[in-house]
Amino acid sequence: MNRDTFGQALRLTLFGESHGPAIGCVVEGLRPGTPLDMDFMAAQLARRRGPRALSTARREADGVELLSGAYQGRCTGTALCLCIRNGDTRSGDYAKSACLLRPGHGDYTGRVKYMGYNDPRGGGHFSGRLTAPIVAAGSIFLFLLREKGVFIGTRLRAVGNIEDTEAFSQEAGAFQGQLQALGEGEIPVLNPGAAAQMEAAIAAVRAEGDSLGGILETQVLGLPPGLGEPFFGTVESQLGALLFALPAVKGVEFGAGFQMASLKGSQANDPFRMEGGRVVTSTNHNGGINGGITNGMPLVLRTAVKPTPSIYKPQETVDICRRENAALCIEGRHDPCIAHRAAVVQDSLIALGLCDLLNQALGLSWQGGALWPEEAPWNMD
Amino acid sequence: MNRDTFGQALRLTLFGESHGPAIGCVVEGLRPGTPLDMDFMAAQLARRRGPRALSTARREADGVELLSGAYQGRCTGTALCLCIRNGDTRSGDYAKSACLLRPGHGDYTGRVKYMGYNDPRGGGHFSGRLTAPIVAAGSIFLFLLREKGVFIGTRLRAVGNIEDTEAFSQEAGAFQGQLQALGEGEIPVLNPGAAAQMEAAIAAVRAEGDSLGGILETQVLGLPPGLGEPFFGTVESQLGALLFALPAVKGVEFGAGFQMASLKGSQANDPFRMEGGRVVTSTNHNGGINGGITNGMPLVLRTAVKPTPSIYKPQETVDICRRENAALCIEGRHDPCIAHRAAVVQDSLIALGLCDLLNQALGLSWQGGALWPEEAPWNMD
Amino acid sequence: MNRDTFGQALRLTLFGESHGPAIGCVVEGLRPGTPLDMDFMAAQLARRRGPRALSTARREADGVELLSGAYQGRCTGTALCLCIRNGDTRSGDYAKSACLLRPGHGDYTGRVKYMGYNDPRGGGHFSGRLTAPIVAAGSIFLFLLREKGVFIGTRLRAVGNIEDTEAFSQEAGAFQGQLQALGEGEIPVLNPGAAAQMEAAIAAVRAEGDSLGGILETQVLGLPPGLGEPFFGTVESQLGALLFALPAVKGVEFGAGFQMASLKGSQANDPFRMEGGRVVTSTNHNGGINGGITNGMPLVLRTAVKPTPSIYKPQETVDICRRENAALCIEGRHDPCIAHRAAVVQDSLIALGLCDLLNQALGLSWQGGALWPEEAPWNMD
Amino acid sequence: MNRDTFGQALRLTLFGESHGPAIGCVVEGLRPGTPLDMDFMAAQLARRRGPRALSTARREADGVELLSGAYQGRCTGTALCLCIRNGDTRSGDYAKSACLLRPGHGDYTGRVKYMGYNDPRGGGHFSGRLTAPIVAAGSIFLFLLREKGVFIGTRLRAVGNIEDTEAFSQEAGAFQGQLQALGEGEIPVLNPGAAAQMEAAIAAVRAEGDSLGGILETQVLGLPPGLGEPFFGTVESQLGALLFALPAVKGVEFGAGFQMASLKGSQANDPFRMEGGRVVTSTNHNGGINGGITNGMPLVLRTAVKPTPSIYKPQETVDICRRENAALCIEGRHDPCIAHRAAVVQDSLIALGLCDLLNQALGLSWQGGALWPEEAPWNMD
């Protein structure tokens, strides 16, 4: 049951290898008539490529071709296939060391799972490059959510030991301003001072031939209460499963997360009160989720992104062809840190997960449609 | 799409309300002929109930009736229905405060999601009591895994600020000894000294009418490499989704987890080497998972369990019937800490997730069967 | 992947064995607040048991216990577990011939699939008795559909060579009158004269120790256009999969069905025209489905039900324990024809399939709910 | 929940529109190392295009590009994306009559379902052209089955009232000879005399501007007993759902099918006997399936294919833009009969369904793999 698919009422199937002909995805469950904003898609893909100075030297144009499911600039409602051709591949870089397992990578486990038949070039299907179609499709999901007043933003909370000390605003207008700024900066932080420090830290590890990890924090404003399920489909399960699909994520927490363990109930509980006719909570240690279901407060989560495993320092490893210990010096083009580039991927995955939950709850009618003929919009005049 | 189901090749569907006639689950995909060890099942349920002194005063016999899928002490291979009758219910305790939303609970979100029709007594479907059928079924999954040499253990790593300072052994025999001890203690810790301190801490918050959270740590030994998927079915996604279904879990991390964010690649990477003809890693910061797939090293994960939201201290809340602010004093019978009781639930959920992955990879043949007639065991003699 | 589950947005999981403690099902995805009409449920179960003179001598009370998901006479929206205890079992009847494979039954294939561990008593999980929980749950789905003006009726079109020569009315009121009559008769036919002939034919084969098959025809009125999918989720696929789950069904056809093969396009096409502001077709050879999707015309389908395989005539078979040829004389209590009893099961399965499609299309909002808080009904006054 | 996906342990997701940039599919769950026989794939696609004289004048090269999941001529085990560019489109033919609903087509239902946003050119996603990727992928499934000794063949049993009077052989060698001949003929029949008659009949309706339907019959030899499920996953349900996805199929029957209704049990039951150490049946009215599960006998099924709805005779219909009655004269390029072209699609769909069932039962190990490291083939020498 080799799975490259996520979602129930909105479904994304991922395909491609880093150095194969193309990467892409098929999306099922999009509202017929959803506008396709190709400029926004391109802008999100540019954010994923990251600033040239801090990222891999591999530069891909990431032109997206819509193979199906689109007509006259809108989604038709049938399966949408997004396809991105691979161009700037230098497979030779990998051929030299095909037998040497890169520590921290999927080389060994991929070889076992796929019995040696997987495409080893550039990590094959295990490449971070596969996040590009997720970002392309994610731009459509983010568009749909914005239409309903739901806004998602992810910032780099920390790189190594350097923290972004500003906080997300819980006020809708101010938050949208922050999102604007995050999209424009080279490093997605709220405090511009942190960006400079982080860039310096990344440049320093790059100079050493080493790499750094980080923490990403996401806030979602505008979600209605009632999304999610009490047990196997909690919002935490849904988003946690998606975020753990992001290569390099080794931890996910919601609200106060691991800090919850050292709080008392009287500190951790978020008291309810009425405000403007709505039920709100005074604090938000639960990150907008009670009993697995959204409560209408800001959804807050954090992920731990490990340092890029591809480093230029010599490493001990195994030559799997000869089945003996060996030394490894990685060549090729790699990022000294991917946490900042992963922010837009995290936004995209969360948008996928939330649109799936909304589709589950509301079906086509959320999407503007109606089944009983007297209500069908095209039937109306 | 109200979902109470988890799994693909092994599937569990949960049903029941805290004060309804019964709770239970249906399990699909069990190997025909799997022995049903009802003593082990009862022992696991006893562990879930926890030590009387530290747990809710509600005492349920938790007798499990096998309604289907069992014959002559073994699984038939058809849907297995486990049913546990509810007995010691005092719904009156809840009726008084049915309109008062308990902070940190699913009262408000359940009311929104189910439009006011959910059973409010004892939290209804949102009750921790629903973990009993998971533990009952989990005892079967744990049995299946042990048969293949896979052992799972969960210990209370911390309660509040008190830590269990011992570590799991990575040696199979010693680890099994630790599991034995964990099953026998009232508090599942490796260092007996920690147990006493934790008990004291829990007793202290109980006296205050307050509650405490904790951190649970799990180790799995004996897994083969090659389990899981590179993207949407990573082992982290599969187990993360299950663990975030555990009420009160607000964080999940694998290997070094959130500490990964402050390491360099040269520190975080786990070097490969040959040992006894097998590929192993010298360190295990990745918790036994590379590229989303098991690498044969110990699987290590931790969850953050929030303090029980039901506390006896007065709290601010909303009267949802009158839609006005109100004060709440919770009555009923509640745990001052559930982290220690959750350990056996965590074992059970992980066993479910791993059996599902093994079934996906190996199908019935892992389960001892064979399809081509010349290989069918009942055809053999 | 042993599966006892059907549906996506409405999901039914079946459990039980003919002579085990209980049979039942779990239903996920029901609208919170759906009324539970236990009298209608009991009446449908009585229809499934059939008239005493023409049916098995096994008489079960079929009392349904709601183990979960119900509160104050309504569905809560969480998993609903329906449980029916088995009572009148005479397993001894089966023990004598446990090694003798009954022709036309699942004895042999069940033994292979379940490696000899399945419960052989009364056919175990392969028993027609498992259709009782489907009918119990189906009564809820039929209720939901009726609320939206959707009516389903199944009649016995033929038994052996005797046909019911009347036709279903396409006019809503007249059709409901026919449904009323079908529910009251011992044999569900439109022409009362046919009933008498069919009863005589069934009595005749019973006297011979033989059995008869039949054809069931279903009409659904009131479906909106737009339900279903163009490829793998056509209405025909959805309902076909369900109907082929009905033990004994060996054929399914929609509209003109197999007669389509000998028509020309100019005869088979259903011309469109406007009528009362709606698009209708002048004929209905396509049975209300174009391109896999409902077109608003009556949905029409037929199933072929094979003669009951349990007959009292001596038959040739294999003794699977000795692996040698043997003679079989079936004892136990069996039906000379099950086609008339299957009519209410067919209604129930179709109701499941259509409610699932409606839930997929419309989500909770069809169910009367609303997610955005300003629209939530409990928030309204 | 717009669905273009089928399968559980082997999964195919279809995408594309008749006149869009490309059509294709993504296949998940293929055995790593499966050879990709591109010549066989091309030959199957040529069979689907059909003989020029009897088919649409639209001629597509149907060149298949493997966008992902393939390396060095074999499947890698990751998602395989097959892509076929559309070339010979003449959308102008359709533009003239875009508002006129074609009777028997999905024009009206597609418009309702997709709220007017679907691509109307050439039927869009509702086109028979979408079967090309199914055939391309099917060639891989057929290859996998042949490797295990499972052979599938479909012949045109009837066109209009002309029957193919020969029968499939149940002897493996002779059946493979028949398959060879079916693949080479222009019309897939067993009796060459029938081919000439059918060609004449099709030519005659073409001359009238009309069309014909037909009946397809499939036999599968070599299946092991034990595949399928007793209820919702019967072999009939699995294959029935797939075959009802084939545009134009309005009926599916297994074994004696609808004739079962007029047989007595003593005629319909297939007696068991021992033969060469195996359990076989003397007759095969059940078409190789008992209790929903294969019994090792030949699997036999038939489908009813309706006449092509696109005919050149004038038809009554509705102008959906003006919402008034109108006359329709279809232009464009259409087939006078598609039943003969559908034979290879039917083979492909059945192969998909059976490989999915085999994967479910046997997992990767059927596919030649092994999970426990001491058994891994690449670990062996």
Side-chain angles (χ1 to χ4, degrees):
Chain A
M1 206 177 311
N2 304 18
R3 291 178 293 169
D4 280 296
T5 295
F6 187 88
Q8 303 203 26
L10 180 70
R11 201 152 46 185
L12 186 148
T13 301
L14 197 63
F15 64 81
E17 276 77 33
S18 182
H19 290 209
I23 56 177
C25 63
V26 179
V27 183
E28 299 162 84
L30 283 164
R31 167 182 31 143
T34 301
L36 288 159
D37 183 337
M38 301 306 284
D39 291 336
F40 179 51
M41 190 182 285
Q44 292 286 90
L45 286 166
R47 284 186 64 196
R48 196 201 67 91
R49 284 195 296 277
R52 185 176 288 262
L54 300 175
S55 311
T56 173
R58 177 174 176 183
R59 303 311 288 181
E60 288 281 6
D62 288 343
V64 178
E65 188 183 14
L66 306 175
L67 293 183
S68 69
Y71 181 59
Q72 298 181 331
R74 291 173 181 272
C75 294
T76 59
T78 59
L80 178 80
C81 182
L82 302 173
C83 184
I84 301 174
R85 293 271 157 185
N86 287 319
D88 182 16
T89 56
R90 294 196 202 151
S91 302
D93 292 347
Y94 293 90
K96 296 178 212 165
S97 53
C99 293
L100 298 176
L101 306 175
R102 291 171 300 162
H105 268 285
D107 293 353
Y108 171 61
T109 56
R111 199 173 176 111
V112 173
K113 179 176 179 65
Y114 299 112
M115 298 175 284
Y117 291 109
N118 55 316
D119 180 347
R121 298 169 301 162
H125 194 61
F126 288 84
S127 169
R129 180 145 176 74
L130 269 285
T131 59
I134 292 173
V135 168
S139 72
I140 306 171
F141 312 145
L142 288 164
F143 181 97
L144 283 168
L145 290 168
R146 273 201 321 244
E147 270 194 330
K148 293 298 282 183
V150 179
F151 292 86
I152 302 178
T154 297
R155 55 98 170 228
L156 196 50
R157 170 82 179 252
V159 163
N161 294 313
I162 304 162
E163 293 216 14
D164 176 23
T165 49
E166 294 255 329
F168 276 124
S169 170
Q170 300 192 16
E171 193 277 312
F175 182 54
Q176 289 174 46
Q178 289 178 320
L179 297 191
Q180 182 83 14
L182 287 178
E184 287 164 2
E186 298 221 321
I187 299 272
V189 287
L190 298 173
N191 178 351
Q197 285 181 281
M198 289 176 179
E199 283 179 37
I202 296 171
V205 292
R206 160 174 277 187
E208 294 172 36
D210 214 331
S211 65
L212 272 182
I215 291 178
L216 290 170
E217 186 176 61
T218 301
Q219 180 175 279
V220 186
L221 286 194
L223 284 173
L227 276 186
E229 301 288 328
F231 270 94
F232 296 121
T234 65
V235 174
E236 293 105 325
S237 290
Q238 172 88 346
L239 299 186
L242 276 165
L243 294 166
F244 277 126
L246 215 169
V249 165
K250 298 300 280 189
V252 177
E253 62 178 12
F254 292 84
F258 275 87
Q259 288 204 316
M260 276 291 201
S262 47
L263 296 181
K264 293 186 179 177
S266 57
Q267 300 165 309
N269 283 351
D270 300 311
F272 289 108
R273 61 186 167 80
M274 296 302 300
E275 188 176 280
R278 293 203 179 184
V279 175
V280 300
T281 65
S282 305
T283 54
N284 192 19
H285 296 101
N286 285 282
I289 306 167
N290 286 149
I293 296 172
T294 55
N295 65 9
M297 298 300 293
L299 193 155
V300 178
L301 64 85
R302 278 171 299 283
T303 54
V305 180
K306 73 176 187 180
T308 328
S310 288
I311 58 175
Y312 296 101
K313 289 191 166 176
Q315 296 182 86
E316 293 171 13
T317 191
V318 156
D319 179 322
I320 195 65
C321 307
R322 297 166 178 245
R323 305 182 66 69
E324 63 185 29
N325 294 337
L328 171 69
C329 283
I330 291 181
E331 301 187 26
R333 299 161 295 175
H334 307 288
D335 292 271
C337 180
I338 54 155
H340 56 290
R341 292 180 59 195
V344 68
V345 186
Q346 185 152 314
D347 282 348
S348 302
L349 287 167
I350 291 169
L352 165 59
L354 294 174
C355 282
D356 181 31
L357 290 177
L358 280 160
N359 267 14
Q360 286 177 35
L362 294 174
L364 261 182
S365 74
W366 171 60
Q367 303 175 346
L371 208 62
W372 306 93
E374 56 276 18
E375 304 161 11
W378 64 266
N379 238 347
M380 290 225 160
D381 54 323
Chain B
M1 206 176 312
N2 304 17
R3 286 177 296 168
D4 280 296
T5 296
F6 187 88
Q8 303 205 27
L10 180 70
R11 202 152 46 184
L12 186 147
T13 301
L14 197 63
F15 63 83
E17 276 77 34
S18 182
H19 290 211
I23 55 176
C25 64
V26 179
V27 184
E28 299 162 87
L30 282 165
R31 168 183 29 146
T34 301
L36 288 159
D37 183 337
M38 301 306 284
D39 292 335
F40 179 52
M41 191 183 285
Q44 293 285 91
L45 286 165
R47 286 186 62 195
R48 195 200 69 91
R49 284 194 297 276
R52 184 175 289 261
L54 301 175
S55 311
T56 173
R58 178 173 174 182
R59 303 311 290 181
E60 288 281 5
D62 289 343
V64 179
E65 188 182 15
L66 306 175
L67 293 182
S68 68
Y71 182 59
Q72 297 181 332
R74 291 172 181 272
C75 294
T76 59
T78 59
L80 178 81
C81 183
L82 301 173
C83 184
I84 302 174
R85 293 270 157 188
N86 287 320
D88 182 16
T89 57
R90 295 197 201 150
S91 304
D93 291 346
Y94 294 90
K96 298 180 211 166
S97 53
C99 293
L100 298 176
L101 305 175
R102 292 171 299 162
H105 268 285
D107 293 354
Y108 171 62
T109 56
R111 199 175 175 108
V112 175
K113 178 176 179 65
Y114 299 113
M115 298 175 285
Y117 291 109
N118 53 316
D119 181 348
R121 299 169 301 163
H125 193 61
F126 289 82
S127 168
R129 179 144 176 74
L130 270 285
T131 59
I134 292 173
V135 168
S139 74
I140 306 171
F141 313 145
L142 287 163
F143 181 97
L144 282 169
L145 290 168
R146 273 203 318 246
E147 268 194 329
K148 293 299 283 185
V150 178
F151 292 87
I152 302 179
T154 297
R155 53 97 169 232
L156 197 49
R157 170 80 181 252
V159 164
N161 294 312
I162 303 162
E163 293 216 14
D164 176 23
T165 49
E166 292 255 331
F168 277 125
S169 170
Q170 299 191 16
E171 192 277 313
F175 182 56
Q176 289 175 48
Q178 289 178 321
L179 298 191
Q180 182 82 14
L182 286 178
E184 287 163 3
E186 298 221 323
I187 299 273
V189 287
L190 298 174
N191 178 351
Q197 285 182 277
M198 288 175 178
E199 282 179 38
I202 296 171
V205 292
R206 159 174 278 187
E208 294 172 35
D210 213 331
S211 64
L212 272 182
I215 290 177
L216 289 170
E217 184 176 63
T218 301
Q219 180 176 280
V220 186
L221 286 194
L223 284 174
L227 276 185
E229 301 288 330
F231 270 92
F232 296 121
T234 66
V235 174
E236 292 104 327
S237 290
Q238 170 87 348
L239 299 185
L242 277 164
L243 295 166
F244 277 125
L246 216 170
V249 165
K250 298 301 278 190
V252 177
E253 62 177 12
F254 292 84
F258 275 87
Q259 289 203 315
M260 275 293 200
S262 48
L263 295 181
K264 292 185 179 175
S266 56
Q267 299 165 311
N269 282 351
D270 300 312
F272 289 109
R273 61 185 166 80
M274 296 302 302
E275 188 176 282
R278 292 201 181 187
V279 174
V280 300
T281 65
S282 304
T283 55
N284 192 19
H285 296 101
N286 285 283
I289 306 168
N290 287 149
I293 296 172
T294 55
N295 65 11
M297 297 301 294
L299 194 155
V300 177
L301 64 85
R302 278 171 300 280
T303 54
V305 181
K306 73 175 187 179
T308 329
S310 287
I311 58 176
Y312 296 100
K313 290 192 165 173
Q315 298 182 84
E316 293 172 11
T317 190
V318 156
D319 181 321
I320 193 66
C321 308
R322 297 164 177 248
R323 304 183 68 68
E324 62 186 29
N325 293 337
L328 171 70
C329 283
I330 291 181
E331 301 186 27
R333 299 161 294 177
H334 307 288
D335 292 272
C337 180
I338 53 154
H340 56 291
R341 291 181 60 196
V344 68
V345 187
Q346 185 152 314
D347 282 347
S348 302
L349 287 167
I350 291 170
L352 166 58
L354 294 175
C355 281
D356 181 31
L357 290 178
L358 280 160
N359 267 14
Q360 286 177 36
L362 293 175
L364 263 182
S365 73
W366 171 59
Q367 302 174 347
L371 206 63
W372 305 94
E374 56 276 19
E375 304 161 9
W378 63 267
N379 238 347
M380 289 226 160
D381 54 317
Chain C
M1 209 176 311
N2 304 16
R3 288 178 295 167
D4 278 296
T5 296
F6 187 87
Q8 303 203 25
L10 180 70
R11 203 152 44 184
L12 186 147
T13 301
L14 196 64
F15 63 83
E17 275 77 34
S18 182
H19 291 210
I23 55 176
C25 63
V26 180
V27 183
E28 299 161 86
L30 283 164
R31 171 188 21 150
T34 301
L36 288 159
D37 183 336
M38 301 307 284
D39 291 335
F40 179 52
M41 191 184 284
Q44 292 285 91
L45 286 166
R47 285 186 64 195
R48 196 200 69 90
R49 283 195 296 276
R52 184 176 291 260
L54 300 175
S55 311
T56 173
R58 178 174 174 181
R59 302 310 291 179
E60 289 280 6
D62 289 343
V64 178
E65 188 182 15
L66 305 176
L67 293 184
S68 68
Y71 182 58
Q72 298 181 330
R74 292 174 180 271
C75 295
T76 58
T78 59
L80 178 82
C81 183
L82 303 172
C83 184
I84 302 173
R85 293 270 158 188
N86 287 320
D88 183 16
T89 57
R90 295 196 201 149
S91 303
D93 290 346
Y94 293 90
K96 297 179 211 165
S97 53
C99 293
L100 298 176
L101 306 174
R102 291 171 300 162
H105 268 286
D107 293 353
Y108 170 61
T109 56
R111 199 173 176 110
V112 174
K113 178 176 180 64
Y114 299 113
M115 298 176 285
Y117 290 110
N118 53 316
D119 180 348
R121 298 168 301 162
H125 193 61
F126 288 82
S127 169
R129 180 147 176 72
L130 270 285
T131 59
I134 291 174
V135 168
S139 73
I140 307 171
F141 312 145
L142 287 163
F143 181 98
L144 282 170
L145 290 168
R146 272 200 322 243
E147 269 194 332
K148 293 297 283 183
V150 178
F151 292 86
I152 302 179
T154 298
R155 55 96 168 233
L156 196 51
R157 169 81 181 252
V159 164
N161 294 311
I162 304 162
E163 293 216 14
D164 177 22
T165 49
E166 293 254 331
F168 277 123
S169 171
Q170 299 191 15
E171 193 276 314
F175 182 55
Q176 290 175 46
Q178 290 179 320
L179 298 192
Q180 183 82 14
L182 286 179
E184 288 163 2
E186 299 221 320
I187 299 272
V189 287
L190 297 174
N191 178 352
Q197 285 182 278
M198 288 176 179
E199 283 180 36
I202 296 170
V205 292
R206 160 174 278 187
E208 294 171 35
D210 213 332
S211 64
L212 272 182
I215 291 178
L216 290 170
E217 185 176 64
T218 301
Q219 180 175 279
V220 186
L221 285 194
L223 284 174
L227 275 185
E229 301 288 329
F231 269 93
F232 296 121
T234 66
V235 175
E236 293 106 326
S237 291
Q238 171 87 345
L239 300 185
L242 277 164
L243 295 166
F244 277 126
L246 215 169
V249 165
K250 297 301 279 189
V252 177
E253 62 178 13
F254 292 83
F258 275 88
Q259 288 202 316
M260 276 291 201
S262 48
L263 296 181
K264 293 186 178 175
S266 56
Q267 300 165 310
N269 282 350
D270 300 312
F272 289 107
R273 62 186 166 79
M274 296 302 302
E275 188 176 281
R278 293 203 180 185
V279 174
V280 300
T281 65
S282 305
T283 55
N284 192 19
H285 296 100
N286 284 284
I289 306 167
N290 287 149
I293 297 172
T294 56
N295 65 10
M297 297 301 293
L299 193 155
V300 178
L301 64 86
R302 279 171 298 282
T303 54
V305 181
K306 73 176 187 178
T308 329
S310 287
I311 57 176
Y312 296 100
K313 290 192 167 175
Q315 297 182 85
E316 294 171 12
T317 191
V318 156
D319 180 321
I320 193 66
C321 307
R322 298 167 178 244
R323 305 183 66 69
E324 62 185 29
N325 293 336
L328 171 70
C329 282
I330 291 181
E331 299 185 26
R333 299 162 294 177
H334 307 289
D335 292 273
C337 180
I338 53 154
H340 57 290
R341 292 181 58 195
V344 68
V345 187
Q346 185 152 314
D347 283 347
S348 302
L349 286 168
I350 291 169
L352 165 59
L354 293 175
C355 281
D356 181 32
L357 290 178
L358 279 160
N359 267 14
Q360 286 176 35
L362 294 174
L364 262 182
S365 74
W366 171 61
Q367 302 175 347
L371 206 62
W372 305 94
E374 55 277 16
E375 304 161 9
W378 64 266
N379 241 346
M380 290 227 161
D381 54 316
Chain D
M1 206 178 311
N2 305 17
R3 287 178 297 169
D4 279 297
T5 295
F6 187 88
Q8 303 203 26
L10 180 70
R11 202 152 45 183
L12 186 147
T13 301
L14 197 61
F15 63 83
E17 275 76 34
S18 182
H19 291 208
I23 55 177
C25 63
V26 179
V27 183
E28 299 162 86
L30 282 164
R31 168 187 23 147
T34 301
L36 289 159
D37 183 338
M38 301 306 284
D39 291 335
F40 180 51
M41 190 183 284
Q44 293 286 91
L45 286 166
R47 285 186 63 196
R48 196 201 69 92
R49 284 195 297 277
R52 184 175 289 262
L54 301 175
S55 311
T56 173
R58 177 174 176 184
R59 304 309 291 179
E60 288 282 4
D62 288 344
V64 179
E65 188 182 15
L66 306 175
L67 293 183
S68 68
Y71 182 59
Q72 297 183 331
R74 291 173 180 273
C75 294
T76 59
T78 59
L80 178 81
C81 182
L82 302 172
C83 184
I84 302 174
R85 293 272 158 185
N86 287 320
D88 183 16
T89 57
R90 295 196 201 149
S91 303
D93 291 347
Y94 293 89
K96 298 178 210 165
S97 53
C99 293
L100 298 176
L101 305 174
R102 291 170 300 162
H105 268 286
D107 293 354
Y108 170 61
T109 56
R111 199 173 175 109
V112 175
K113 178 175 180 64
Y114 300 112
M115 298 176 283
Y117 290 110
N118 54 318
D119 180 348
R121 299 169 301 161
H125 194 60
F126 289 82
S127 168
R129 180 146 175 73
L130 270 285
T131 58
I134 292 174
V135 169
S139 72
I140 306 171
F141 312 145
L142 287 164
F143 181 98
L144 283 168
L145 291 167
R146 272 202 321 244
E147 269 194 331
K148 294 297 282 185
V150 178
F151 291 86
I152 302 178
T154 297
R155 55 96 169 230
L156 196 51
R157 170 80 179 253
V159 164
N161 294 312
I162 303 162
E163 292 216 15
D164 176 22
T165 48
E166 294 253 332
F168 276 125
S169 170
Q170 299 192 17
E171 193 276 314
F175 182 55
Q176 288 175 47
Q178 289 179 320
L179 297 192
Q180 182 83 14
L182 287 177
E184 287 164 2
E186 299 220 323
I187 300 273
V189 287
L190 297 174
N191 178 352
Q197 285 181 279
M198 289 176 178
E199 283 180 36
I202 296 171
V205 291
R206 159 173 280 187
E208 294 172 34
D210 213 330
S211 64
L212 272 181
I215 291 178
L216 289 170
E217 184 175 63
T218 302
Q219 179 175 280
V220 186
L221 286 194
L223 284 173
L227 275 186
E229 301 288 329
F231 270 93
F232 295 121
T234 66
V235 174
E236 292 106 326
S237 291
Q238 171 88 346
L239 299 186
L242 276 165
L243 294 166
F244 277 125
L246 216 169
V249 165
K250 297 301 279 190
V252 177
E253 62 179 12
F254 292 84
F258 276 86
Q259 288 203 315
M260 275 292 200
S262 48
L263 296 181
K264 294 186 177 176
S266 57
Q267 300 165 311
N269 282 350
D270 300 312
F272 288 108
R273 61 185 167 79
M274 297 301 301
E275 188 176 280
R278 294 202 179 183
V279 174
V280 300
T281 65
S282 304
T283 54
N284 191 21
H285 296 101
N286 285 284
I289 306 168
N290 287 149
I293 296 172
T294 55
N295 65 8
M297 297 301 293
L299 193 156
V300 177
L301 64 85
R302 278 171 300 282
T303 54
V305 181
K306 74 175 185 180
T308 328
S310 287
I311 57 176
Y312 296 101
K313 290 191 168 178
Q315 296 182 86
E316 293 171 13
T317 191
V318 156
D319 181 321
I320 194 66
C321 308
R322 297 167 177 245
R323 305 182 66 70
E324 63 186 28
N325 293 337
L328 171 69
C329 282
I330 290 180
E331 300 186 25
R333 297 161 296 175
H334 307 288
D335 292 272
C337 179
I338 53 153
H340 57 290
R341 291 181 58 195
V344 67
V345 186
Q346 185 153 314
D347 283 347
S348 302
L349 287 167
I350 292 170
L352 165 60
L354 294 174
C355 282
D356 182 30
L357 290 177
L358 280 160
N359 268 14
Q360 285 177 35
L362 293 174
L364 261 183
S365 75
W366 170 59
Q367 302 174 346
L371 207 62
W372 307 94
E374 55 277 19
E375 304 160 9
W378 63 266
N379 239 347
M380 290 228 159
D381 55 317

